[in-house]
Amino acid sequence: MAGWIQRIQPMMWRLNFCDWGTHLLYFILRGVAGNGKPFFFNSWFPLDTDDIASYTLVIIMQALGSVMIGTTLFAVMGLYVTLVSVGCTQLEKIQAALLDIKQHEPSEMNTRLAECVTHHQYVLRYMKELEKTFSPVLFGPFLLVVAALCFTAYTAITLGGKFVEFIQIFIITAAMMFQIQAVCWFGTQLTQQSGRVRDAAWDSDWVGAPVSFQRSIIFMISVSKEFKLTAGKIIPVYQSTVMTVLNETYTYLMVLVNFVDKSSRTQ
């Protein structure tokens, strides 16, 4: 996991430029395929966009808005991924130290184990602060992803062969799925690495060691549990959550489709 830390910043920059490029491509295609003056987003402005100066101002505002949204999205994601990778790296160091503890002299084993326990307590404190910080931050995006996927899926069903709009829907869906997949994958890695500390303590070849050392190992095994990040203290940030989000999106989509069908029949 330490290898991810140095790759995150260049990767976020590339994804950011890719996001800007797809928005620019969508703008060009919309201008070529459509009639009139194209916009980055369908929106209302208190300006007369038929005037060239007003239209230019609106395009600049929408372009800056697109850049700001993309930069904010990838900046927060890059910070989250970096901090989770740091936690995973520290947990891997503890695992390596526990597996290597048998290589030391019996007189040093308790000292090495005490260092591992102290290091583990610091990492647990770090992960609790990580949970406290990102739990409310991740809760909003999870709900927004469900809502965005639901409405984009409904829009795709009702479009009826508009190619340029399909490109926009594909971009939004891909961005949302990438965001939730990245968040959940790194959350899964943190959970798995926290559980592997217990496995490393068990595999440290403690059978036959001094009784005091065995008791310390058994105590560490009993207190080392899997740590799970959550979104809003409700949604576990885990790989299976991606499928849960897709299932919820499908459920809300069916409710929305049935509601629209009933409304159209009533009219």
Side-chain angles (χ1 to χ4, degrees), residues 1-11 14 81-82 84-90 92-93 185-186 189 193:
M1 293 299 296
W4 278 101
I5 298 175
Q6 61 184 357
R7 296 200 300 262
I8 290 169
Q9 186 176 7
M11 187 180 297
R14 293 189 186 100
V81 169
T82 301
V84 171
S85 298
V86 169
C88 291
T89 303
Q90 297 304 312
E92 288 178 339
K93 288 182 178 179
W185 189 84
F186 279 93
Q189 295 302 311
Q193 293 295 342

Side-chain angles (χ1 to χ4, degrees), residues 1 80 84-85 88 91 95 127 130 138 142 180-196 226-230 236-243:
M1 293 299 296
Y80 164 81
V84 171
S85 298
C88 291
L91 291 170
Q95 296 166 33
M127 292 192 297
L130 192 66
L138 295 177
F142 269 90
I180 193 171
Q181 179 67 27
V183 168
C184 290
W185 189 84
F186 279 93
T188 302
Q189 295 302 311
L190 185 64
T191 301
Q192 291 177 349
Q193 293 295 342
S194 62
R196 287 172 186 166
E226 287 188 346
F227 180 87
K228 285 190 177 181
L229 285 172
T230 62
V237 183
Y238 205 72
Q239 200 68 31
S240 58
T241 307
V242 178
M243 291 305 302

Side-chain angles (χ1 to χ4, degrees), residues 2-103:
W4 278 101
I5 298 175
Q6 61 184 357
R7 296 200 300 262
I8 290 169
Q9 186 176 7
M11 187 180 297
M12 290 300 110
W13 273 112
R14 293 189 186 100
L15 289 172
N16 215 346
F17 283 121
C18 182
D19 177 66
W20 297 343
T22 52
H23 274 286
L24 181 61
L25 176 63
Y26 170 75
F27 177 76
I28 294 173
L29 290 176
R30 193 169 184 177
V32 173
N35 297 321
K37 298 176 180 178
F39 293 93
F40 283 100
F41 310 104
N42 292 325
S43 58
W44 178 84
F45 284 91
L47 298 171
D48 182 14
T49 54
D50 291 332
D51 180 60
I52 187 63
S54 300
Y55 174 73
T56 304
L57 178 61
V58 169
I59 290 298
I60 293 174
M61 292 171 62
Q62 289 195 339
L64 290 176
S66 176
V67 171
M68 182 187 68
I69 292 172
T71 304
T72 304
L73 170 66
F74 292 113
V76 173
M77 185 186 302
L79 177 63
Y80 164 81
V81 169
T82 301
L83 295 178
V84 171
S85 298
V86 169
C88 291
T89 303
Q90 297 304 312
L91 291 170
E92 288 178 339
K93 288 182 178 179
I94 296 172
Q95 296 166 33
L98 286 171
L99 293 174
D100 188 56
I101 208 167
K102 192 66 175 179
Q103 306 299 324

Side-chain angles (χ1 to χ4, degrees), residues 123-187:
V123 176
L124 286 177
R125 190 182 305 172
Y126 170 82
M127 292 192 297
K128 288 178 181 178
E129 292 298 325
L130 192 66
E131 159 77 9
K132 188 187 301 183
T133 302
F134 279 96
S135 180
V137 174
L138 295 177
F139 184 65
F142 269 90
L143 296 181
L144 288 176
V145 165
V146 173
L149 290 177
C150 178
F151 284 109
T152 51
Y154 178 77
T155 305
I157 293 174
T158 57
L159 268 179
K162 295 181 180 179
F163 175 72
V164 178
E165 280 73 10
F166 268 115
I167 294 177
Q168 187 181 35
I169 289 173
F170 174 78
I171 293 172
I172 293 173
T173 304
M176 293 296 172
M177 289 305 302
F178 173 79
Q179 179 186 9
I180 193 171
Q181 179 67 27
V183 168
C184 290
W185 189 84
F186 279 93

Side-chain angles (χ1 to χ4, degrees), residues 145-151 153-154 157 242-258:
V145 165
V146 173
L149 290 177
C150 178
F151 284 109
Y154 178 77
I157 293 174
V242 178
M243 291 305 302
T244 303
V245 169
L246 292 178
N247 290 333
E248 292 297 325
T249 301
Y250 178 77
T251 301
Y252 295 146
L253 174 62
M254 292 297 102
V255 171
L256 183 61
V257 169
N258 291 332

